Amino acid sequence: MKRHLLEHFTVLLLIFCIGAEGYAQIKINTPKTKKTNFNVATVALTLTAKDAENRQKFLRPQVQVLNDSTKQALSGFPGSFAQDQLSLNLPIYKKYQIKLSLADYADTTLVYDLTGTKVNYKDKQQVLMRPQRVAFGLKVSDVETGNDVPVNVVLNNKNRNEQITLNNKDRNKDGVYKVGIREKDDYDVEIKDGNNLAIYKGKINKNKGTNFLITAQKVQGYNIYTVRQFKDAANLKDASLLAVKGGKTVSLNVQDLETDENIKAGAIFTNKNRNEQIIIHPTTGSGKAIQVKLREGDEYDMEVNASKNYFFHTQKIKVRPKGASKDVTVRLTKLKTGAKIALNDIYFDFNSAALKDSSFIELDRVVKMLRTNPKVKLSIEAHTDNVGSKRKNLKLSNRRAKSVADYLKEKKIGQNRLVTKGFGEDRPLVPNTSKKNKAKNRRVELRVIRSTQ
């Protein structure tokens, strides 16, 4: 019994010694407790980036973390958002600049200060990034007096549901209408006078410039507007830039094709040598010859439109440096059943029904004519030359006529107002004996099957 108790005591003693040794080892291997070093403490920052004008839209920009004092980029941080949120572990007692960059948006910098006495060791920040913008500017001046002309402006963003309107209160002290527009988006612009009559409709071409300078004048029953685009906004201060000094006067007579009677009509002269258009609107008393000054040596695309009931007319005009003033007579075809005109500038790739972009100017004229004359119904008729088989050319002409109709339908022209027909090579205008003649035979014509009456 004594022996048994002795053995039991020995085991307990051994366990106690082993435990004490282990405890002593733990004390030896564990560093002594020191005051916490907060210089190595970090804040877990969760970042989100959103479109400032559409806060439902998350962005995933590139990221740079900079030292606020030295502006040097710091390493060891993610270079971009992989998801809608980004986590950054930032040592405290420092001040940072977090720079976000994304195509089509202005660079945005968040200044994040961790030098204060109160720090949230888990934090969330939302950064709003604004779409990159360029300045749109417009100045309208009377050519005789130099006074500013009040107008109303509508900018329609074609990439999103956005419309910008400008009126007299949006003019600055220099008489310039100014607003920021998204750099990468496409805009249609419409400018109306104080009576809500359209002065100008067009597209903002950023390659030509987003600053518009317009001079206005009244001449013999017509309002004449000369429009130029500039990249440099400084040009808006000098309306005299639009004066056609030493230009040649062109007298334009517009008549009915059948009766030779003068027609109330307007015209647009697009200068192919510079970013300039001359837009002529008829007013009360119109019908006389239109007198317009064009720049000597320049070439113009001329478009003539009667107010209603007529096809439009287009042709090119070259203003020779020498010689007398130029007289031009245009005879317009009335929109009556059976009437027909050829579209001058409709182009397709070889053996293709795909419209080239250069065709859209002419087709937009057709759209404008159909909107002005809502009762007219057209047959769109396509023709080819004799290259290839008759069967192949017939199919190609049918597809080309359909391509034209599809474009008009995209512009909200009702399908019930359009029919299509392909004739292949069966109705040539001239013998297919030369490249020039074959080009004439490759054409698209419009024929009226229901008139304005």
Side-chain angles (χ1 to χ4, degrees), residues 363-408:
L363 290 177
D364 286 343
R365 292 173 180 140
V366 178
V367 171
K368 179 181 176 182
M369 180 192 72
L370 288 171
R371 288 175 178 168
T372 304
N373 300 278
K375 293 183 179 180
V376 167
K377 184 175 181 178
L378 294 178
S379 174
I380 301 166
E381 302 174 351
H383 304 262
T384 69
D385 57 26
N386 65 346
V387 176
S389 69
K390 279 197 170 186
R391 182 181 177 185
K392 187 176 180 180
N393 284 334
L394 182 60
K395 287 184 177 180
L396 179 61
S397 62
N398 274 302
R399 285 166 41 221
R400 286 179 170 177
K402 185 177 182 301
S403 288
V404 171
D406 287 344
Y407 181 86
L408 300 180

Side-chain angles (χ1 to χ4, degrees), residues 27 36 87 146 156 212 249 304 369 410 432 442:
K27 287 187 68 177
T36 304
S87 294
N156 283 306
F212 286 72
T249 299
V304 179
M369 180 192 72
E410 288 175 6
N432 286 294
R442 296 190 301 269

Side-chain angles (χ1 to χ4, degrees), residues 165-180:
T165 59
L166 304 173
N167 52 42
N168 201 41
K169 65 180 176 57
D170 298 299
R171 285 194 298 172
N172 63 21
K173 63 180 182 179
D174 296 319
V176 177
Y177 298 83
K178 295 197 75 172
V179 71

Side-chain angles (χ1 to χ4, degrees), residues 60-74:
R60 296 186 180 182
Q62 299 294 311
V63 180
Q64 265 193 324
V65 180
L66 310 175
N67 184 305
D68 181 66
S69 58
T70 65
K71 305 299 186 288
Q72 295 296 312
L74 303 176

Side-chain angles (χ1 to χ4, degrees), residues 342-344 346-351 382-389 393 396-397 400 424-445:
L343 298 177
N344 291 331
I346 303 297
Y347 303 104
F348 303 90
D349 287 325
F350 176 73
N351 199 31
H383 304 262
T384 69
D385 57 26
N386 65 346
V387 176
S389 69
N393 284 334
L396 179 61
S397 62
R400 286 179 170 177
E425 60 186 80
D426 291 342
R427 297 187 180 183
L429 288 176
V430 291
N432 286 294
T433 53
S434 66
K435 287 184 177 181
K436 187 175 181 180
N437 281 4
K438 288 179 180 181
K440 289 181 179 179
N441 290 330
R442 296 190 301 269
R443 68 196 189 278
V444 175
E445 295 176 332

Side-chain angles (χ1 to χ4, degrees), residues 47-87:
L47 278 180
T48 56
K50 293 185 177 182
D51 188 310
E53 298 174 5
N54 177 12
R55 299 194 183 187
Q56 302 302 312
K57 181 178 180 180
F58 284 89
L59 306 175
R60 296 186 180 182
Q62 299 294 311
V63 180
Q64 265 193 324
V65 180
L66 310 175
N67 184 305
D68 181 66
S69 58
T70 65
K71 305 299 186 288
Q72 295 296 312
L74 303 176
S75 60
F77 295 100
S80 63
F81 280 64
Q83 298 178 337
D84 290 342
Q85 292 185 337
L86 177 69
S87 294

Side-chain angles (χ1 to χ4, degrees), residues 156-382:
N156 283 306
N157 189 323
K158 298 176 68 178
N159 302 88
R160 63 195 78 230
N161 185 23
E162 177 188 75
Q163 185 180 83
I164 301 171
T165 59
L166 304 173
N167 52 42
N168 201 41
K169 65 180 176 57
D170 298 299
R171 285 194 298 172
N172 63 21
K173 63 180 182 179
D174 296 319
V176 177
Y177 298 83
K178 295 197 75 172
V179 71
I181 59 175
R182 293 176 185 250
E183 185 176 38
K184 298 296 182 180
D185 286 2
D186 298 311
Y187 289 82
D188 287 333
V189 56
E190 183 174 9
I191 303 168
K192 295 182 178 182
D193 66 13
N195 296 316
N196 209 34
L197 296 175
I199 293 175
Y200 174 82
K201 289 183 180 180
K203 304 179 189 303
I204 297 180
N205 186 326
K206 298 179 184 68
N207 293 325
K208 293 180 180 179
T210 58
N211 297 285
F212 286 72
L213 181 59
I214 301 178
T215 52
Q217 62 183 134
K218 297 181 183 295
V219 179
Q220 297 178 345
Y222 297 93
N223 288 334
I224 301 178
Y225 302 97
T226 304
V227 184
R228 280 192 75 179
Q229 286 178 256
F230 300 97
K231 291 183 178 180
D232 188 353
N235 290 321
L236 297 181
K237 297 179 180 179
D238 188 4
S240 64
L241 286 169
L242 285 181
V244 183
K245 297 177 181 177
K248 182 171 291 186
T249 299
V250 172
S251 180
L252 172 63
N253 291 283
V254 185
Q255 300 176 347
D256 183 289
L257 177 66
E258 295 181 351
T259 66
D260 289 340
E261 293 179 357
N262 288 340
I263 301 172
K264 182 178 179 179
I268 300 173
F269 293 84
T270 302
N271 193 320
K272 299 180 69 176
N273 301 89
R274 62 194 83 224
N275 299 330
E276 178 182 80
Q277 271 192 334
I278 301 173
I279 302 167
I280 302 171
H281 295 299
T283 59
T284 304
S286 300
K288 301 176 183 177
I290 301 171
Q291 307 292 327
V292 58
K293 272 192 174 184
L294 303 182
R295 297 178 186 271
E296 292 184 356
D298 285 5
E299 186 174 357
Y300 292 81
D301 285 334
M302 180 183 73
E303 174 189 346
V304 179
N305 284 287
S307 55
K308 278 188 177 181
N309 305 329
Y310 286 90
F311 280 110
F312 58 86
H313 171 88
T314 60
Q315 73 178 68
K316 301 185 187 304
I317 292 181
K318 178 75 174 179
V319 185
R320 304 294 178 187
K322 296 181 180 180
S325 296
K326 190 178 183 70
D327 291 335
V328 178
T329 299
V330 170
R331 292 180 172 86
L332 297 183
T333 302
K334 202 157 194 175
L335 286 168
K336 64 180 184 179
T337 302
K340 182 171 63 176
I341 66 163
L343 298 177
N344 291 331
D345 298 304
I346 303 297
Y347 303 104
F348 303 90
D349 287 325
F350 176 73
N351 199 31
S352 169
L355 286 162
K356 290 188 174 182
D357 289 353
S358 53
S359 305
F360 299 156
I361 296 174
E362 185 84 340
L363 290 177
D364 286 343
R365 292 173 180 140
V366 178
V367 171
K368 179 181 176 182
M369 180 192 72
L370 288 171
R371 288 175 178 168
T372 304
N373 300 278
K375 293 183 179 180
V376 167
K377 184 175 181 178
L378 294 178
S379 174
I380 301 166
E381 302 174 351

